[in-house]
Amino acid sequence: MNIHKVLVAGAGTMGQGIAQWFAQQEIAVELLDVDETFAHSASAKIYASWDRLQERGKFSQQQVASFKTRLKVVNSNTVCPEQDLLIEAIVENLAVKKKFFRTMQEKLVTSCIFASNTSSFPMTDLCGDLPAVRRAKFLGLHFFNPATIMKLVEVISGQWTPHQLAQDFIAWFTEQKKIPVLCKESPGFIVNRVARNFYGEALQIAHAEDREKFAQIDRVMEEVGGFPMGPFRLMDLIGIDVNYQVTQSVWHAFNDAPRFAPHPLQKTMVASAQLGKKTGVGFYRYD
Amino acid sequence: MTNYQILITKDHPLYAKIVERGINYLNYGKFPSAPNVIELCLLDKVKKRQLWESLKDKCILADLSCHNGDALIEEFPQVQGALASAFPSPKQACEYWSKTAAATELLLQFFKKCDIVGVAVDSPGIGFIYPRIISMIINEAYFAREDQVATAQAIDQAMRYGVHYPAGPFALAQKIGSKSIVALLDELAASTGDLRYQVCQQLREESLC
């Protein structure tokens, strides 16, 4: 598999990380966002990150100079049509994503592989409007935050994804020292599905707003379970609203199966704007 | 000299360690003579009750990893402490609860002999904390494999490298044993009546082998 030019769409946290990682693989990256100023600001953050990594001795001056030449901010008029891979990491909204892929289908060469970094939508739904030639080059590539550090990539096959295409990405990511895993399109794929009850069952045990109990559960999961962070501390870090939204999305996708049902406490916390670290209060207080 | 005896079934995950370290123990079925008994028997609720009834004059510190500990402790006041040792920890630690300082002392002595760190909790609840959360994660991993989302190996890798789990759910299931996981999920279902504790068919079948 030859990947020399990648278009990353969406300059948010994930898009930024993905663009940075690809540039670090000596691949030419174009970064596109609906807001070009935002894309420039993301590019500046990536540059600053490389400078810090150079100071710490992680990369040489030459390497960083090379990475910087490979990252370019573009807008919808200046996108180069000759791309090997498009990775979409825009807002998590099915209609917006579908519209974006329809637009890109007009702009990019037919040999370009289309991929989505969605954490929730089936590939089959995302590419359903595209011509057959595009659907046969469509798959999910789900990175984890921060994309430059986290090794896992979920390689997701949709209804029309050829087995060989997914296998080629497995081999390619392995060569680049990532840990790719092949999975079928299904709500939450692997991680966001299997991890649901790390939070859900912890909430069942705590039952009500009780900071001592949250601390006890976190302590047990860290000291006995060996998890780097307990469920309540982690929810506070992720954002209780974000976690609640993912839980709801997976729950509904499984036809409201009881084992995925959100806990009433999540709803209460979100309604009272206790969203975790970002609001200074969540399951814990951050004064 | 210790003033407790260990009563254990051979299928308990600590059995091999206890034998290997030369710690004195009695196999399930024997009657302990010491006044305090650390009971590590993987038994269903009926057999557990029968065992405790036969130990009426003893102070019992019981493994309640797979049981509604809160309910059983209320029913059997001679149970002075409980532990969750049927779910081996990747960090060689174990949750415990005790009613008295003497029970705490006995449990900590036992943990020291087994080279385990005790982590105190305020009640055993139903299956303590770690067993309960890890069983639900493992159950979902089995559901995902049953749905052919990915292989067991891919699921284990995804959870280790995507969210830094100390081990994959299938690897953990192998260490714990599907029998204990299913026993706890069934106990949660029976005690709460909540359908969220429905066991994946493949996991249940594995527990019957």
Side-chain angles (χ1 to χ4, degrees):
Chain A
M1 170 173 264
N2 293 317
I3 297 176
H4 303 293
K5 293 184 83 174
V6 174
L7 173 63
V8 177
T13 308
M14 287 313 297
Q16 223 178 91
I18 294 166
Q20 180 171 353
W21 182 79
F22 272 96
Q24 287 172 198
Q25 313 312 304
E26 302 288 351
I27 289 166
V29 179
E30 290 192 351
L31 181 60
L32 169 72
D33 196 277
V34 67
D35 179 349
E36 200 176 341
T37 314
F38 186 62
H40 279 291
S41 146
S43 170
K45 282 182 194 163
I46 296 172
Y47 272 40
S49 162
W50 280 328
D51 291 339
R52 277 195 306 276
L53 291 166
Q54 185 190 319
E55 277 166 30
R56 285 186 214 147
K58 170 88 180 159
F59 294 122
S60 69
Q61 192 179 356
Q62 255 183 333
Q63 278 178 305
V64 167
S66 165
F67 299 159
K68 286 179 179 175
T69 62
R70 289 171 199 281
L71 178 66
K72 185 179 163 193
V73 171
V74 293
N75 62 40
S76 57
N77 297 319
T78 58
V79 164
C80 169
E82 313 282 326
Q83 303 285 347
D84 296 319
L85 173 65
L86 159 68
I87 300 187
E88 167 276 310
I90 64 173
V91 63
E92 201 67 2
N93 176 304
L94 183 62
V96 175
K97 283 182 191 284
K98 286 179 81 166
K99 189 179 170 197
F100 172 76
F101 281 119
R102 282 197 303 269
T103 310
M104 285 298 117
Q105 122 77 11
E106 310 263 312
K107 286 188 187 291
L108 303 182
V109 291
T110 49
S111 58
C112 177
I113 298 161
F114 278 24
S116 175
N117 182 58
T118 180
S119 55
S120 52
F121 300 119
M123 300 310 126
T124 305
D125 289 358
L126 287 170
C127 69
D129 296 346
L130 302 179
V133 65
R134 286 280 187 212
R135 293 200 302 257
K137 282 183 171 290
F138 197 105
L139 81 170
L141 296 177
H142 187 213
F143 290 76
F144 288 77
N145 186 30
T148 49
I149 293 170
M150 298 298 284
K151 293 218 171 283
L152 185 73
V153 182
E154 288 176 327
V155 177
I156 304 134
S157 287
Q159 192 182 319
W160 294 291
T161 311
H163 180 68
Q164 193 54 48
L165 180 65
Q167 287 299 337
D168 287 347
F169 269 101
I170 295 281
W172 187 82
F173 277 119
T174 306
E175 275 172 29
Q176 316 304 315
K177 313 280 184 233
K178 282 274 187 197
I179 297 179
V181 294
L182 185 63
C183 67
K184 204 177 77 173
E185 58 180 352
S186 169
F189 310 123
I190 300 173
V191 172
N192 276 334
R193 172 179 178 170
V194 176
R196 289 277 51 81
N197 270 305
F198 181 62
Y199 314 106
E201 198 54 24
L203 284 155
Q204 291 289 330
I205 296 168
H207 187 61
E209 204 172 335
D210 175 350
R211 288 206 165 85
E212 275 181 33
K213 192 73 183 172
F214 301 151
Q216 185 175 97
I217 293 168
D218 279 345
R219 183 171 172 232
V220 166
M221 293 314 285
E222 290 162 17
E223 293 179 16
V224 179
F227 288 80
M229 203 179 276
F232 294 99
R233 251 186 280 285
L234 189 52
M235 279 188 277
D236 272 2
L237 186 68
I238 294 167
I240 295 168
D241 52 339
V242 174
N243 193 278
Y244 180 51
Q245 188 269 324
V246 177
T247 303
Q248 276 191 311
S249 150
V250 173
W251 179 47
H252 291 319
F254 279 99
N255 301 315
D256 296 359
R259 67 183 197 275
F260 293 113
H263 193 276
L265 186 55
Q266 288 174 286
K267 194 176 177 182
T268 308
M269 301 291 282
V270 173
S272 58
Q274 298 180 83
L275 307 181
K277 265 194 158 172
K278 61 186 171 188
T279 56
V281 58
F283 294 111
Y284 296 98
R285 289 193 167 277
Y286 304 88
D287 300 324
Chain B
M1 280 288 284
T2 51
N3 57 350
Y4 67 83
Q5 277 179 305
I6 296 163
L7 189 63
I8 190 167
T9 51
K10 287 184 177 171
D11 56 354
H12 194 283
L14 278 182
Y15 186 82
K17 196 175 201 177
I18 285 169
V19 172
E20 187 190 294
R21 292 183 171 229
I23 301 167
N24 281 330
Y25 68 94
L26 287 173
N27 281 315
Y28 168 63
K30 298 270 170 71
F31 189 79
S33 53
N36 305 298
V37 179
I38 295 185
E39 182 265 286
L40 307 175
C41 300
L42 296 183
L43 300 170
D44 64 32
K45 219 175 345 190
V46 175
K47 284 189 178 157
K48 199 99 168 166
R49 278 199 174 95
Q50 284 170 352
L51 173 64
W52 290 359
E53 270 159 18
S54 74
L55 300 173
K56 250 183 183 154
D57 58 336
K58 310 283 182 192
C59 160
I60 300 171
L61 310 163
D63 189 319
L64 291 176
S65 311
C66 308
H67 295 278
N68 185 339
D70 286 351
L72 283 170
I73 286 161
E74 209 175 308
E75 200 183 332
F76 292 88
Q78 79 264 39
V79 177
Q80 298 285 300
L83 64 165
S85 58
F87 281 66
S89 142
K91 298 196 87 175
Q92 302 299 313
C94 181
E95 280 172 80
Y96 74 94
W97 162 86
S98 55
K99 207 185 260 185
T100 63
T104 304
E105 183 57 33
L106 286 176
L107 282 170
L108 293 179
Q109 273 180 35
F110 168 69
F111 288 144
K112 197 174 174 188
K113 278 192 172 180
C114 296
D115 204 13
I116 287 172
V117 178
V119 177
V121 293
D122 60 5
S123 82
I126 307 169
F128 286 86
I129 296 169
Y130 173 65
R132 197 167 152 170
I133 295 177
I134 210 66
S135 293
M136 286 298 277
I137 291 169
I138 291 167
N139 195 33
E140 196 51 44
Y142 272 79
F143 272 120
R145 185 178 66 172
E146 192 176 67
D147 291 348
Q148 298 182 333
V149 173
T151 62
Q153 193 194 5
I155 294 169
D156 274 1
Q157 279 200 318
M159 302 315 287
R160 285 183 62 205
Y161 296 102
V163 272
H164 293 305
Y165 279 22
F170 288 95
L172 285 169
Q174 208 160 14
K175 279 194 181 155
I176 297 162
S178 47
K179 209 171 155 184
S180 291
I181 299 161
V182 171
L184 174 54
L185 293 170
D186 283 346
E187 180 66 54
L188 282 159
S191 297
T192 65
D194 196 326
L195 292 171
R196 62 187 272 105
Y197 300 109
Q198 178 202 356
V199 177
C200 170
Q201 194 54 34
Q202 283 185 0
L203 179 59
R204 187 175 295 285
E205 280 165 14
E206 210 175 282
S207 76
L208 298 172
C209 291

